[in-house]
Amino acid sequence: MADTRDEPLVLGIETSCDETGVGIVRGTTLLADAVASSVEEHARFGGVVPEVASRAHLEAMVPTIERALKEAGVRAKDLDGIAVTAGPGLAGALLVGVSAAKAYAYALGKPLYGVNHLASHICVDQLEHGPLPEPTMALLVSGGHSSLLLSTDITADVRPMGATIDDAAGEAFDKIARVLNLGFPGGPVIDRYAREGDPEAIAFPRGLTGPRDPAYDFSFSGLKTAVARWIEAKRAAGEEVPVRDVAASFQEAVVDVLTRKAVRACKDEGVDHLMIGGGVAANSRLRSLAQERCEAAGIRLRVPRPKLCTDNGAMVAALGAEMVRRDRTASAWDLSADSSLPVTDPHVPAEEPAHPHGRAHGHGHAHSHDHVHEMSKENLYS
Ligand code: KG4
Ligand code: ZN
């Protein structure tokens, strides 16, 4: 095995939704992946409650960081950087992670990297399949996002090809599971029921697949309504709802559109690698249909194992390590959580100062990681 000791050792913190994730990575090697989830606290509400998530992050933060350091067998002082999800995500939840990352980075004298949640979902695949091919097409599907992204350099160039115009794919799974009284989150149970159902039993609509529709955008709200109406009609007629067939037919409609559009984007752009990430990438039918269609089109498919597909800290550490390796500018101490951080910003670098020597102790602006020790304490709180 190659000697990896020279590769950057980075701790990553993820708190954009309901998972408090802390991962530690050396280069593209995963050393620790500690996750504390508040998903059970949200279950009775049928969706993530932001305030509940923020509080849970606060409680889980320090223990999860300690668990990750122990699991990795590394000392905090040996880290080369601290990375954190700066956005997009729930504002209050993000803020807990960003504040913790600042505190650790400042106390340890390490550079801070505020990174993009979506780029992290792509970069995590390096931990499983090695360096990302450039370019890579990425299909990101979770409870919060459904996007097709093209990247030639995950630290600097992420181009949106398409996205959902209404609900995220995972949201549709969660909604249909709720209508079927299967609990929350809906993806895993629908997946399970669908295995015993007929995907062709009911012809549910494929959103935005008409000849005049945008080629790479998605829509799941029409499908959601169609499935809910179909179920209601059965119930109103006093008939039994064939749960397995509904699950299989609904799931087929979602993954048919996702894979069709992803493969089409690869072909149109001449990209021969597709990666799939996000919680919905755990879906067994999405994986098998994507494999089938990629093979037919001569595209190599990369899907990380399910634990790396859902939100976790390792993905943030993976992108942070790549930032260090490529010598990207670290973030400033006044880094903020940005709930709508554009997908085109893989990270949030400190602005270059207009007068590099004019503001030695000042306004929480630019620092490279060489200068991190010189920052004055006020900056942390500015
Ligand atoms: O990435 P993730 O953990 O958190 C977000 O950023 O949203 O994704 C969670 C979403 C949920 O909507 C959940 O229902 C869905 O991923 N999901 C699945 C499966 N496992 C999780 N959807 C379909 N099939 C699955 N096996
Ligand atoms: Zn996510």
Side-chain angles (χ1 to χ4, degrees):
M1 227 177 109
D3 186 349
T4 59
R5 275 172 303 183
D6 289 341
E7 293 184 35
L9 180 66
V10 172
L11 180 141
I13 299 175
E14 153 64 36
T15 63
S16 69
C17 191
D18 59 341
E19 257 94 35
T20 312
V22 180
I24 299 177
V25 158
R26 191 187 291 282
T28 58
T29 306
L30 176 64
L31 302 183
D33 182 14
V35 177
S37 176
S38 62
V39 68
E40 278 163 24
E41 293 174 53
H42 307 285
R44 66 196 169 99
F45 301 105
V48 176
V49 184
E51 286 309 314
V52 173
S54 303
R55 181 167 290 270
H57 287 310
L58 206 53
E59 284 165 5
M61 196 77 260
V62 175
T64 311
I65 288 178
E66 282 170 5
R67 190 147 58 86
L69 286 167
K70 200 166 159 204
E71 193 181 313
V74 300
R75 291 169 301 188
K77 71 178 180 59
D78 295 331
L79 294 168
D80 296 305
I82 308 273
V84 61
T85 304
L90 302 170
L94 288 167
L95 197 58
V96 178
V98 168
S99 306
K102 282 183 188 175
Y104 275 87
Y106 189 73
L108 294 164
K110 308 290 180 187
L112 170 73
Y113 295 87
V115 302
N116 190 302
H117 181 79
L118 300 177
S120 302
H121 266 305
I122 301 175
C123 195
V124 74
D125 192 47
Q126 300 206 132
L127 305 178
E128 180 131 351
H129 298 113
L132 274 177
E134 295 174 343
T136 289
M137 188 69 69
L139 172 66
L140 292 189
V141 275
S142 75
H145 25 84
S146 304
S147 313
L148 255 179
L149 305 167
L150 177 58
S151 173
T152 58
D153 170 349
I154 197 58
T155 64
D157 175 36
V158 178
R159 179 150 53 101
M161 301 286 298
T164 180
I165 59 163
D166 39 57
D167 302 320
E171 247 179 300
F173 273 92
D174 295 336
K175 170 75 196 290
I176 296 309
R178 196 155 63 221
V179 177
L180 290 170
N181 300 317
L182 299 178
F184 173 83
V189 275
I190 298 243
D191 195 346
R192 236 175 13 251
Y193 275 92
R195 274 174 222 178
E196 294 162 14
D198 175 4
E200 287 169 11
I202 312 148
F204 288 129
R206 269 61 171 160
L208 291 190
T209 50
R212 285 168 205 277
D213 288 331
Y216 312 126
D217 285 335
F218 306 105
S219 167
F220 298 109
S221 125
L223 169 65
K224 216 172 67 177
T225 309
V227 178
R229 288 222 179 105
W230 194 93
I231 295 168
E232 275 162 28
K234 280 272 162 197
R235 284 179 182 150
E239 291 173 38
E240 199 183 323
V241 177
V243 175
R244 289 169 176 77
D245 285 349
V246 172
S249 301
F250 156 74
Q251 176 175 277
E252 196 67 14
V254 175
V255 307
D256 175 26
V257 176
L258 290 175
T259 53
R260 212 192 296 179
K261 295 203 172 201
V263 167
R264 177 162 172 197
C266 288
K267 281 188 181 162
D268 291 353
E269 296 290 324
V271 174
D272 59 3
H273 281 85
L274 172 68
M275 83 79 59
I276 307 183
V280 181
N283 185 269
S284 59
R285 180 60 183 149
L286 175 58
R287 286 172 172 250
S288 62
L289 188 58
Q291 188 60 50
E292 205 177 287
R293 289 183 171 174
C294 281
E295 257 167 39
I299 297 164
R300 297 279 287 273
L301 178 67
R302 293 167 57 123
V303 192
R305 58 183 176 275
K307 181 145 192 250
L308 294 180
C309 284
T310 53
D311 289 352
N312 64 79
M315 68 190 209
V316 179
L319 183 53
E322 204 54 43
M323 294 290 170
V324 176
R325 197 175 73 78
R326 300 203 191 206
D327 220 9
R328 299 287 175 224
T329 307
S331 300
W333 294 121
D334 65 355
L335 170 73
S336 14
D338 182 352
S339 58
S340 51
L341 184 66
V343 65
T344 45
D345 295 353
H347 85 303
V348 186
E351 283 169 36
E352 294 301 333
H355 307 288
H357 305 293
R359 45 165 73 168
H361 293 285
H363 306 95
H365 260 293
H367 66 283
S368 75
H369 38 264
D370 301 331
H371 298 138
V372 73
H373 298 280
E374 296 167 22
M375 298 301 293
S376 77
K377 223 171 197 126
E378 300 125 38
N379 290 329
L380 186 59
Y381 307 104
S382 63

